[in-house]
Amino acid sequence: MKVITWNVRGVNKVYKQKELMEFIKVNKVNVIAIIEHRVKECKDRQVINKIVPNWEGISNISLNNKGRIWLLWDPKVAIVKEINMHSQYIQAEIKCATNAMTYHFIAVYGLHIVQDRKELWRKLREIENKQQEPWLVMGDFNAIFEVEDRIHETMVQDHEIRDFREFVEDAGMTELKAIGRSFTWTNSHVFSKINRAIVNGKWMSKMPPIQVHVLDPYFSDHSPLCIELGSQQKQHLDHLDL
């Protein structure tokens, strides 16, 4: 099962819809969270059907009129059950249709302002306190974790990283090793790592070891994040358009 999170702003544009459709097809993606798409609610399903016809999906658009997150999946491969919806994330249980693999997944889009993200950390702490299953949190946190996560801008201040670090440490989360591009967002001047994947202890003990592939950004200013789970993991990654 190949899972992608990708910030693709402005999916209203026809060329981006076509590029997304081709990316999903070529890379054999099974589950994708499309973040910051900005598609209006009235056009939500219409645009999704153009990109991934015959797929299923859920959206948090009713909680955020800017259209933050779609979680889309191929029902032949993944069985997805919505658990919780928030303006900054979608939480779901994902089962592989071909084996018994089950895990909890949160696709994240953190708001831009430090103060606004405090609600995200609070809600994730609440989820972690109740979490009994392997748990993957992946997406665009809009927050950096280390001073080295941003270059070519003003010096990183402590308040920019404090809340994220405290959540990860308090919740006992671990960042999955990333390979590929070092930074996940750029405006061609500033480079930063604000997209990442973190997991809980149950994931580390029960799930197979995996890495996050940080792919080329193509037509976006963000790089897609890709993980692959299952017995065909190596074979599929050999065909990934890195």
Side-chain angles (χ1 to χ4, degrees):
M1 180 186 295
K2 189 175 294 182
V3 181
I4 298 275
T5 60
W6 196 3
N7 184 315
V8 184
R9 185 170 56 251
V11 184
N12 295 289
K13 297 177 180 178
V14 174
Y15 86 90
K16 286 193 176 183
Q17 297 168 16
K18 291 180 178 179
E19 293 278 8
L20 263 174
M21 181 173 62
E22 183 68 11
F23 173 86
I24 290 167
K25 179 180 178 181
V26 168
N27 292 300
K28 298 180 174 64
V29 178
N30 308 120
V31 179
I32 186 167
I34 300 173
I35 296 164
E36 203 182 4
H37 52 75
R38 295 191 177 180
V39 175
K40 293 182 179 179
E41 190 167 8
C42 61
K43 296 183 178 179
D44 201 41
R45 194 67 245 180
Q46 176 186 349
V47 174
I48 290 171
N49 287 340
K50 288 182 180 179
I51 299 169
V52 281
N54 304 316
W55 279 32
E56 297 178 3
I58 52 180
S59 170
N60 72 343
I61 198 167
S62 62
L63 301 174
N64 193 319
N65 60 14
K66 293 183 178 179
R68 295 291 180 179
I69 308 170
W70 289 333
L71 181 59
L72 312 173
W73 65 91
D74 181 351
K76 298 188 297 295
V77 178
I79 301 167
V80 178
K81 176 184 176 183
E82 177 188 332
I83 296 176
N84 190 19
M85 199 77 72
H86 187 270
S87 60
Q88 298 186 70
Y89 63 79
I90 292 176
Q91 180 186 9
E93 178 188 79
I94 299 181
K95 295 182 180 180
C96 181
T98 58
N99 59 41
M101 183 180 295
T102 302
Y103 59 96
H104 283 217
F105 175 70
I106 288 186
V108 168
Y109 179 69
L111 296 178
H112 289 84
I113 306 302
V114 170
Q115 191 62 33
D116 291 340
R117 288 196 299 271
K118 289 184 180 296
E119 170 72 3
L120 171 63
W121 311 129
R122 185 181 70 80
K123 296 296 290 186
L124 291 179
R125 276 188 172 89
E126 290 179 2
I127 294 170
E128 190 279 329
N129 286 335
K130 302 174 183 176
Q131 190 59 251
Q132 300 298 318
E133 302 295 333
W135 184 34
L136 166 67
V137 186
M138 188 162 78
D140 180 1
F141 290 87
N142 257 316
I144 57 177
F145 194 75
E146 305 278 358
V147 172
E148 296 80 11
D149 286 345
R150 189 176 70 216
I151 61 173
H152 299 165
E153 199 182 36
T154 56
M155 184 177 296
V156 174
Q157 303 297 312
D158 180 66
H159 74 277
E160 296 180 77
I161 63 177
R162 184 189 306 121
D163 292 340
F164 193 5
R165 291 182 69 91
E166 287 181 354
F167 160 69
V168 169
E169 292 168 4
D170 294 348
M173 304 291 283
T174 301
E175 181 177 3
L176 291 177
K177 181 181 178 181
I179 60 175
R181 298 173 69 94
S182 299
F183 298 98
T184 64
W185 173 85
T186 182
N187 61 3
S188 298
H189 173 65
V190 178
F191 295 81
S192 65
K193 182 180 179 181
I194 54 177
N195 307 72
R196 60 203 337 128
I198 58 176
V199 296
N200 66 349
K202 290 286 196 306
W203 180 286
M204 296 297 290
S205 62
K206 292 185 176 182
M207 301 295 281
I210 60 170
Q211 297 173 326
V212 180
H213 287 250
V214 183
L215 308 182
D216 289 339
Y218 301 92
F219 51 89
S220 175
D221 53 357
H222 289 257
S223 291
L225 301 185
C226 175
I227 67 165
E228 186 158 7
L229 295 161
S231 59
Q232 301 302 313
Q233 180 174 342
K234 185 180 186 302
Q235 176 183 341
H236 284 176
L237 281 174
D238 288 342
H239 296 290
L240 189 62
D241 185 17
L242 294 174

mmCIF file of all heavy atoms in Angstrom, residues 23-63:
data_model
loop_
_atom_site.group_PDB
_atom_site.id
_atom_site.type_symbol
_atom_site.label_atom_id
_atom_site.label_comp_id
_atom_site.label_asym_id
_atom_site.label_seq_id
_atom_site.Cartn_x
_atom_site.Cartn_y
_atom_site.Cartn_z
ATOM 1 N N PHE A 23 0.297 11.671 -11.887
ATOM 2 C CA PHE A 23 1.203 11.299 -10.791
ATOM 3 C C PHE A 23 0.682 10.068 -10.051
ATOM 4 O O PHE A 23 1.435 9.131 -9.759
ATOM 5 C CB PHE A 23 1.348 12.477 -9.823
ATOM 6 C CG PHE A 23 2.116 12.169 -8.572
ATOM 7 C CD1 PHE A 23 3.494 12.274 -8.544
ATOM 8 C CD2 PHE A 23 1.459 11.775 -7.412
ATOM 9 C CE1 PHE A 23 4.213 11.979 -7.389
ATOM 10 C CE2 PHE A 23 2.161 11.484 -6.252
ATOM 11 C CZ PHE A 23 3.546 11.582 -6.238
ATOM 12 N N ILE A 24 -0.612 10.061 -9.726
ATOM 13 C CA ILE A 24 -1.213 8.943 -8.993
ATOM 14 C C ILE A 24 -1.153 7.659 -9.812
ATOM 15 O O ILE A 24 -0.836 6.584 -9.290
ATOM 16 C CB ILE A 24 -2.667 9.293 -8.609
ATOM 17 C CG1 ILE A 24 -2.663 10.395 -7.533
ATOM 18 C CG2 ILE A 24 -3.426 8.069 -8.119
ATOM 19 C CD1 ILE A 24 -4.012 11.036 -7.289
ATOM 20 N N LYS A 25 -1.409 7.778 -11.112
ATOM 21 C CA LYS A 25 -1.398 6.612 -11.988
ATOM 22 C C LYS A 25 0.009 6.058 -12.160
ATOM 23 O O LYS A 25 0.241 4.853 -11.997
ATOM 24 C CB LYS A 25 -1.989 6.994 -13.346
ATOM 25 C CG LYS A 25 -2.017 5.854 -14.351
ATOM 26 C CD LYS A 25 -2.611 6.327 -15.673
ATOM 27 C CE LYS A 25 -2.597 5.216 -16.715
ATOM 28 N NZ LYS A 25 -3.159 5.681 -18.014
ATOM 29 N N VAL A 26 0.965 6.921 -12.510
ATOM 30 C CA VAL A 26 2.325 6.474 -12.793
ATOM 31 C C VAL A 26 2.981 5.857 -11.565
ATOM 32 O O VAL A 26 3.683 4.843 -11.642
ATOM 33 C CB VAL A 26 3.174 7.651 -13.321
ATOM 34 C CG1 VAL A 26 4.658 7.296 -13.358
ATOM 35 C CG2 VAL A 26 2.695 8.060 -14.708
ATOM 36 N N ASN A 27 2.741 6.466 -10.388
ATOM 37 C CA ASN A 27 3.397 6.005 -9.161
ATOM 38 C C ASN A 27 2.601 4.981 -8.376
ATOM 39 O O ASN A 27 2.991 4.604 -7.271
ATOM 40 C CB ASN A 27 3.715 7.217 -8.279
ATOM 41 C CG ASN A 27 4.788 8.094 -8.884
ATOM 42 O OD1 ASN A 27 5.905 7.640 -9.116
ATOM 43 N ND2 ASN A 27 4.459 9.331 -9.176
ATOM 44 N N LYS A 28 1.472 4.527 -8.952
ATOM 45 C CA LYS A 28 0.674 3.459 -8.348
ATOM 46 C C LYS A 28 0.301 3.783 -6.900
ATOM 47 O O LYS A 28 0.444 2.961 -5.993
ATOM 48 C CB LYS A 28 1.422 2.122 -8.427
ATOM 49 C CG LYS A 28 1.699 1.655 -9.859
ATOM 50 C CD LYS A 28 2.440 0.319 -9.865
ATOM 51 C CE LYS A 28 2.578 -0.215 -11.282
ATOM 52 N NZ LYS A 28 3.399 0.642 -12.154
ATOM 53 N N VAL A 29 -0.187 4.994 -6.705
ATOM 54 C CA VAL A 29 -0.592 5.463 -5.377
ATOM 55 C C VAL A 29 -1.934 4.828 -5.006
ATOM 56 O O VAL A 29 -2.834 4.724 -5.841
ATOM 57 C CB VAL A 29 -0.704 7.001 -5.367
ATOM 58 C CG1 VAL A 29 -1.168 7.490 -3.999
ATOM 59 C CG2 VAL A 29 0.639 7.628 -5.744
ATOM 60 N N ASN A 30 -2.064 4.407 -3.751
ATOM 61 C CA ASN A 30 -3.306 3.788 -3.276
ATOM 62 C C ASN A 30 -4.111 4.685 -2.343
ATOM 63 O O ASN A 30 -5.340 4.615 -2.302
ATOM 64 C CB ASN A 30 -2.997 2.480 -2.546
ATOM 65 C CG ASN A 30 -2.137 1.540 -3.363
ATOM 66 O OD1 ASN A 30 -1.040 1.180 -2.932
ATOM 67 N ND2 ASN A 30 -2.587 1.159 -4.553
ATOM 68 N N VAL A 31 -3.399 5.513 -1.564
ATOM 69 C CA VAL A 31 -4.043 6.459 -0.638
ATOM 70 C C VAL A 31 -3.300 7.779 -0.760
ATOM 71 O O VAL A 31 -2.061 7.789 -0.744
ATOM 72 C CB VAL A 31 -3.978 5.962 0.830
ATOM 73 C CG1 VAL A 31 -4.625 6.983 1.767
ATOM 74 C CG2 VAL A 31 -4.639 4.604 0.979
ATOM 75 N N ILE A 32 -4.035 8.886 -0.878
ATOM 76 C CA ILE A 32 -3.377 10.184 -0.961
ATOM 77 C C ILE A 32 -4.165 11.224 -0.180
ATOM 78 O O ILE A 32 -5.397 11.271 -0.254
ATOM 79 C CB ILE A 32 -3.187 10.645 -2.429
ATOM 80 C CG1 ILE A 32 -2.357 11.947 -2.481
ATOM 81 C CG2 ILE A 32 -4.522 10.778 -3.156
ATOM 82 C CD1 ILE A 32 -1.865 12.306 -3.882
ATOM 83 N N ALA A 33 -3.447 12.011 0.610
ATOM 84 C CA ALA A 33 -4.025 13.187 1.264
ATOM 85 C C ALA A 33 -3.551 14.406 0.494
ATOM 86 O O ALA A 33 -2.347 14.663 0.424
ATOM 87 C CB ALA A 33 -3.593 13.270 2.723
ATOM 88 N N ILE A 34 -4.486 15.119 -0.112
ATOM 89 C CA ILE A 34 -4.184 16.333 -0.854
ATOM 90 C C ILE A 34 -4.521 17.514 0.044
ATOM 91 O O ILE A 34 -5.663 17.668 0.490
ATOM 92 C CB ILE A 34 -4.981 16.397 -2.171
ATOM 93 C CG1 ILE A 34 -4.620 15.187 -3.047
ATOM 94 C CG2 ILE A 34 -4.682 17.699 -2.919
ATOM 95 C CD1 ILE A 34 -5.468 15.061 -4.290
ATOM 96 N N ILE A 35 -3.522 18.338 0.306
ATOM 97 C CA ILE A 35 -3.609 19.365 1.340
ATOM 98 C C ILE A 35 -3.605 20.752 0.711
ATOM 99 O O ILE A 35 -2.911 20.988 -0.266
ATOM 100 C CB ILE A 35 -2.420 19.202 2.315
ATOM 101 C CG1 ILE A 35 -2.515 17.847 3.038
ATOM 102 C CG2 ILE A 35 -2.358 20.340 3.317
ATOM 103 C CD1 ILE A 35 -1.238 17.431 3.716
ATOM 104 N N GLU A 36 -4.373 21.639 1.288
ATOM 105 C CA GLU A 36 -4.480 23.037 0.862
ATOM 106 C C GLU A 36 -4.917 23.130 -0.600
ATOM 107 O O GLU A 36 -4.395 23.936 -1.374
ATOM 108 C CB GLU A 36 -3.167 23.799 1.083
ATOM 109 C CG GLU A 36 -3.399 25.307 1.194
ATOM 110 C CD GLU A 36 -2.116 26.112 1.367
ATOM 111 O OE1 GLU A 36 -1.014 25.533 1.321
ATOM 112 O OE2 GLU A 36 -2.242 27.325 1.543
ATOM 113 N N HIS A 37 -5.905 22.342 -0.964
ATOM 114 C CA HIS A 37 -6.345 22.301 -2.362
ATOM 115 C C HIS A 37 -7.142 23.534 -2.779
ATOM 116 O O HIS A 37 -7.171 23.903 -3.947
ATOM 117 C CB HIS A 37 -7.164 21.040 -2.631
ATOM 118 C CG HIS A 37 -8.293 20.826 -1.672
ATOM 119 N ND1 HIS A 37 -9.462 21.546 -1.720
ATOM 120 C CD2 HIS A 37 -8.421 19.968 -0.620
ATOM 121 C CE1 HIS A 37 -10.268 21.130 -0.767
ATOM 122 N NE2 HIS A 37 -9.658 20.176 -0.077
ATOM 123 N N ARG A 38 -7.840 24.159 -1.846
ATOM 124 C CA ARG A 38 -8.583 25.395 -2.071
ATOM 125 C C ARG A 38 -9.757 25.263 -3.044
ATOM 126 O O ARG A 38 -10.200 26.241 -3.636
ATOM 127 C CB ARG A 38 -7.650 26.528 -2.515
ATOM 128 C CG ARG A 38 -6.650 26.923 -1.437
ATOM 129 C CD ARG A 38 -5.927 28.201 -1.778
ATOM 130 N NE ARG A 38 -5.018 28.590 -0.704
ATOM 131 C CZ ARG A 38 -4.254 29.673 -0.733
ATOM 132 N NH1 ARG A 38 -4.287 30.483 -1.777
ATOM 133 N NH2 ARG A 38 -3.457 29.962 0.273
ATOM 134 N N VAL A 39 -10.241 24.074 -3.208
ATOM 135 C CA VAL A 39 -11.424 23.862 -4.037
ATOM 136 C C VAL A 39 -12.667 24.152 -3.207
ATOM 137 O O VAL A 39 -12.771 23.711 -2.062
ATOM 138 C CB VAL A 39 -11.463 22.419 -4.571
ATOM 139 C CG1 VAL A 39 -12.755 22.149 -5.339
ATOM 140 C CG2 VAL A 39 -10.257 22.152 -5.456
ATOM 141 N N LYS A 40 -13.611 24.882 -3.769
ATOM 142 C CA LYS A 40 -14.838 25.216 -3.052
ATOM 143 C C LYS A 40 -15.698 23.966 -2.857
ATOM 144 O O LYS A 40 -15.650 23.031 -3.658
ATOM 145 C CB LYS A 40 -15.618 26.281 -3.818
ATOM 146 C CG LYS A 40 -14.915 27.632 -3.853
ATOM 147 C CD LYS A 40 -15.767 28.662 -4.581
ATOM 148 C CE LYS A 40 -15.059 30.023 -4.600
ATOM 149 N NZ LYS A 40 -15.853 31.047 -5.319
ATOM 150 N N GLU A 41 -16.502 23.988 -1.794
ATOM 151 C CA GLU A 41 -17.297 22.825 -1.439
ATOM 152 C C GLU A 41 -18.229 22.393 -2.564
ATOM 153 O O GLU A 41 -18.431 21.201 -2.803
ATOM 154 C CB GLU A 41 -18.105 23.099 -0.169
ATOM 155 C CG GLU A 41 -18.781 21.879 0.408
ATOM 156 C CD GLU A 41 -19.309 22.112 1.810
ATOM 157 O OE1 GLU A 41 -19.288 23.266 2.273
ATOM 158 O OE2 GLU A 41 -19.747 21.128 2.442
ATOM 159 N N CYS A 42 -18.783 23.342 -3.290
ATOM 160 C CA CYS A 42 -19.734 23.021 -4.355
ATOM 161 C C CYS A 42 -19.076 22.275 -5.518
ATOM 162 O O CYS A 42 -19.759 21.605 -6.305
ATOM 163 C CB CYS A 42 -20.426 24.281 -4.856
ATOM 164 S SG CYS A 42 -19.300 25.514 -5.556
ATOM 165 N N LYS A 43 -17.739 22.389 -5.634
ATOM 166 C CA LYS A 43 -17.022 21.719 -6.720
ATOM 167 C C LYS A 43 -16.191 20.542 -6.224
ATOM 168 O O LYS A 43 -15.475 19.904 -7.009
ATOM 169 C CB LYS A 43 -16.104 22.709 -7.434
ATOM 170 C CG LYS A 43 -16.840 23.835 -8.142
ATOM 171 C CD LYS A 43 -15.855 24.728 -8.880
ATOM 172 C CE LYS A 43 -16.576 25.831 -9.649
ATOM 173 N NZ LYS A 43 -15.619 26.718 -10.365
ATOM 174 N N ASP A 44 -16.281 20.255 -4.944
ATOM 175 C CA ASP A 44 -15.459 19.259 -4.273
ATOM 176 C C ASP A 44 -15.469 17.915 -5.011
ATOM 177 O O ASP A 44 -14.449 17.437 -5.489
ATOM 178 C CB ASP A 44 -15.976 19.102 -2.840
ATOM 179 C CG ASP A 44 -14.960 18.508 -1.886
ATOM 180 O OD1 ASP A 44 -13.789 18.876 -1.971
ATOM 181 O OD2 ASP A 44 -15.371 17.685 -1.056
ATOM 182 N N ARG A 45 -16.628 17.296 -5.098
ATOM 183 C CA ARG A 45 -16.744 15.962 -5.666
ATOM 184 C C ARG A 45 -16.450 15.955 -7.157
ATOM 185 O O ARG A 45 -15.856 15.016 -7.685
ATOM 186 C CB ARG A 45 -18.151 15.434 -5.412
ATOM 187 C CG ARG A 45 -18.313 13.943 -5.645
ATOM 188 C CD ARG A 45 -17.536 13.135 -4.620
ATOM 189 N NE ARG A 45 -16.460 12.362 -5.230
ATOM 190 C CZ ARG A 45 -15.645 11.573 -4.555
ATOM 191 N NH1 ARG A 45 -15.721 11.484 -3.253
ATOM 192 N NH2 ARG A 45 -14.710 10.896 -5.176
ATOM 193 N N GLN A 46 -16.836 17.003 -7.842
ATOM 194 C CA GLN A 46 -16.603 17.099 -9.281
ATOM 195 C C GLN A 46 -15.112 17.050 -9.603
ATOM 196 O O GLN A 46 -14.679 16.332 -10.512
ATOM 197 C CB GLN A 46 -17.213 18.386 -9.816
ATOM 198 C CG GLN A 46 -16.949 18.642 -11.289
ATOM 199 C CD GLN A 46 -17.465 20.006 -11.732
ATOM 200 O OE1 GLN A 46 -18.192 20.681 -11.020
ATOM 201 N NE2 GLN A 46 -17.059 20.410 -12.927
ATOM 202 N N VAL A 47 -14.311 17.813 -8.851
ATOM 203 C CA VAL A 47 -12.871 17.846 -9.097
ATOM 204 C C VAL A 47 -12.225 16.522 -8.699
ATOM 205 O O VAL A 47 -11.361 15.996 -9.422
ATOM 206 C CB VAL A 47 -12.224 19.026 -8.350
ATOM 207 C CG1 VAL A 47 -10.704 18.979 -8.480
ATOM 208 C CG2 VAL A 47 -12.755 20.349 -8.880
ATOM 209 N N ILE A 48 -12.647 15.960 -7.573
ATOM 210 C CA ILE A 48 -12.098 14.668 -7.138
ATOM 211 C C ILE A 48 -12.339 13.599 -8.192
ATOM 212 O O ILE A 48 -11.457 12.790 -8.506
ATOM 213 C CB ILE A 48 -12.696 14.254 -5.784
ATOM 214 C CG1 ILE A 48 -12.174 15.170 -4.662
ATOM 215 C CG2 ILE A 48 -12.369 12.798 -5.458
ATOM 216 C CD1 ILE A 48 -12.865 14.974 -3.332
ATOM 217 N N ASN A 49 -13.544 13.583 -8.763
ATOM 218 C CA ASN A 49 -13.865 12.574 -9.780
ATOM 219 C C ASN A 49 -13.016 12.715 -11.034
ATOM 220 O O ASN A 49 -12.763 11.734 -11.735
ATOM 221 C CB ASN A 49 -15.346 12.661 -10.142
ATOM 222 C CG ASN A 49 -16.240 12.123 -9.044
ATOM 223 O OD1 ASN A 49 -15.792 11.363 -8.189
ATOM 224 N ND2 ASN A 49 -17.502 12.510 -9.058
ATOM 225 N N LYS A 50 -12.567 13.926 -11.329
ATOM 226 C CA LYS A 50 -11.675 14.122 -12.476
ATOM 227 C C LYS A 50 -10.285 13.557 -12.194
ATOM 228 O O LYS A 50 -9.627 13.030 -13.092
ATOM 229 C CB LYS A 50 -11.560 15.612 -12.803
ATOM 230 C CG LYS A 50 -12.810 16.218 -13.435
ATOM 231 C CD LYS A 50 -12.567 17.689 -13.754
ATOM 232 C CE LYS A 50 -13.795 18.316 -14.391
ATOM 233 N NZ LYS A 50 -13.577 19.764 -14.681
ATOM 234 N N ILE A 51 -9.850 13.701 -10.944
ATOM 235 C CA ILE A 51 -8.492 13.269 -10.591
ATOM 236 C C ILE A 51 -8.428 11.763 -10.378
ATOM 237 O O ILE A 51 -7.534 11.082 -10.897
ATOM 238 C CB ILE A 51 -8.011 14.012 -9.325
ATOM 239 C CG1 ILE A 51 -7.964 15.520 -9.577
ATOM 240 C CG2 ILE A 51 -6.635 13.501 -8.885
ATOM 241 C CD1 ILE A 51 -7.767 16.340 -8.319
ATOM 242 N N VAL A 52 -9.360 11.228 -9.590
ATOM 243 C CA VAL A 52 -9.357 9.797 -9.251
ATOM 244 C C VAL A 52 -10.775 9.228 -9.412
ATOM 245 O O VAL A 52 -11.467 8.981 -8.418
ATOM 246 C CB VAL A 52 -8.822 9.547 -7.828
ATOM 247 C CG1 VAL A 52 -7.312 9.609 -7.785
ATOM 248 C CG2 VAL A 52 -9.408 10.538 -6.811
ATOM 249 N N PRO A 53 -11.228 9.022 -10.644
ATOM 250 C CA PRO A 53 -12.553 8.427 -10.839
ATOM 251 C C PRO A 53 -12.624 7.045 -10.203
ATOM 252 O O PRO A 53 -11.644 6.287 -10.227
ATOM 253 C CB PRO A 53 -12.686 8.352 -12.371
ATOM 254 C CG PRO A 53 -11.295 8.464 -12.894
ATOM 255 C CD PRO A 53 -10.534 9.294 -11.913
ATOM 256 N N ASN A 54 -13.755 6.761 -9.588
ATOM 257 C CA ASN A 54 -14.018 5.457 -8.941
ATOM 258 C C ASN A 54 -13.319 5.295 -7.594
ATOM 259 O O ASN A 54 -13.393 4.219 -6.996
ATOM 260 C CB ASN A 54 -13.645 4.286 -9.867
ATOM 261 C CG ASN A 54 -14.357 4.350 -11.199
ATOM 262 O OD1 ASN A 54 -15.552 4.631 -11.253
ATOM 263 N ND2 ASN A 54 -13.629 4.103 -12.271
ATOM 264 N N TRP A 55 -12.634 6.318 -7.134
ATOM 265 C CA TRP A 55 -12.072 6.283 -5.791
ATOM 266 C C TRP A 55 -13.089 6.809 -4.783
ATOM 267 O O TRP A 55 -14.079 7.468 -5.150
ATOM 268 C CB TRP A 55 -10.801 7.128 -5.713
ATOM 269 C CG TRP A 55 -9.567 6.444 -6.216
ATOM 270 C CD1 TRP A 55 -9.490 5.510 -7.217
ATOM 271 C CD2 TRP A 55 -8.232 6.650 -5.747
ATOM 272 N NE1 TRP A 55 -8.189 5.123 -7.410
ATOM 273 C CE2 TRP A 55 -7.387 5.797 -6.529
ATOM 274 C CE3 TRP A 55 -7.662 7.446 -4.780
ATOM 275 C CZ2 TRP A 55 -6.010 5.742 -6.335
ATOM 276 C CZ3 TRP A 55 -6.283 7.406 -4.587
ATOM 277 C CH2 TRP A 55 -5.472 6.556 -5.348
ATOM 278 N N GLU A 56 -12.816 6.555 -3.516
ATOM 279 C CA GLU A 56 -13.622 7.089 -2.431
ATOM 280 C C GLU A 56 -12.825 8.157 -1.702
ATOM 281 O O GLU A 56 -11.591 8.238 -1.844
ATOM 282 C CB GLU A 56 -14.046 5.972 -1.476
ATOM 283 C CG GLU A 56 -14.929 4.919 -2.144
ATOM 284 C CD GLU A 56 -15.303 3.792 -1.205
ATOM 285 O OE1 GLU A 56 -14.921 3.840 -0.004
ATOM 286 O OE2 GLU A 56 -15.962 2.842 -1.679
ATOM 287 N N GLY A 57 -13.499 8.990 -0.913
ATOM 288 C CA GLY A 57 -12.775 10.047 -0.217
ATOM 289 C C GLY A 57 -13.597 10.753 0.832
ATOM 290 O O GLY A 57 -14.825 10.659 0.853
ATOM 291 N N ILE A 58 -12.901 11.436 1.731
ATOM 292 C CA ILE A 58 -13.518 12.287 2.734
ATOM 293 C C ILE A 58 -12.771 13.612 2.763
ATOM 294 O O ILE A 58 -11.620 13.702 2.319
ATOM 295 C CB ILE A 58 -13.524 11.638 4.138
ATOM 296 C CG1 ILE A 58 -12.119 11.165 4.534
ATOM 297 C CG2 ILE A 58 -14.523 10.498 4.211
ATOM 298 C CD1 ILE A 58 -12.040 10.520 5.907
ATOM 299 N N SER A 59 -13.433 14.651 3.272
ATOM 300 C CA SER A 59 -12.876 15.997 3.262
ATOM 301 C C SER A 59 -13.250 16.723 4.540
ATOM 302 O O SER A 59 -14.321 16.477 5.105
ATOM 303 C CB SER A 59 -13.425 16.759 2.050
ATOM 304 O OG SER A 59 -13.102 18.128 2.116
ATOM 305 N N ASN A 60 -12.371 17.627 4.971
ATOM 306 C CA ASN A 60 -12.709 18.469 6.124
ATOM 307 C C ASN A 60 -13.185 19.844 5.684
ATOM 308 O O ASN A 60 -13.150 20.802 6.450
ATOM 309 C CB ASN A 60 -11.519 18.593 7.084
ATOM 310 C CG ASN A 60 -10.398 19.458 6.532
ATOM 311 O OD1 ASN A 60 -10.324 19.730 5.329
ATOM 312 N ND2 ASN A 60 -9.491 19.892 7.402
ATOM 313 N N ILE A 61 -13.652 19.946 4.450
ATOM 314 C CA ILE A 61 -14.037 21.240 3.892
ATOM 315 C C ILE A 61 -15.175 21.886 4.664
ATOM 316 O O ILE A 61 -15.281 23.105 4.733
ATOM 317 C CB ILE A 61 -14.394 21.091 2.395
ATOM 318 C CG1 ILE A 61 -14.360 22.452 1.694
ATOM 319 C CG2 ILE A 61 -15.732 20.389 2.211
ATOM 320 C CD1 ILE A 61 -14.385 22.353 0.194
ATOM 321 N N SER A 62 -16.050 21.075 5.290
ATOM 322 C CA SER A 62 -17.163 21.639 6.051
ATOM 323 C C SER A 62 -16.684 22.349 7.316
ATOM 324 O O SER A 62 -17.406 23.165 7.889
ATOM 325 C CB SER A 62 -18.161 20.543 6.432
ATOM 326 O OG SER A 62 -17.548 19.585 7.269
ATOM 327 N N LEU A 63 -15.446 22.057 7.748
ATOM 328 C CA LEU A 63 -14.875 22.678 8.947
ATOM 329 C C LEU A 63 -13.946 23.831 8.610
ATOM 330 O O LEU A 63 -13.499 24.541 9.497
ATOM 331 C CB LEU A 63 -14.099 21.632 9.759
ATOM 332 C CG LEU A 63 -14.902 20.428 10.232
ATOM 333 C CD1 LEU A 63 -13.990 19.415 10.895
ATOM 334 C CD2 LEU A 63 -16.003 20.855 11.195
#
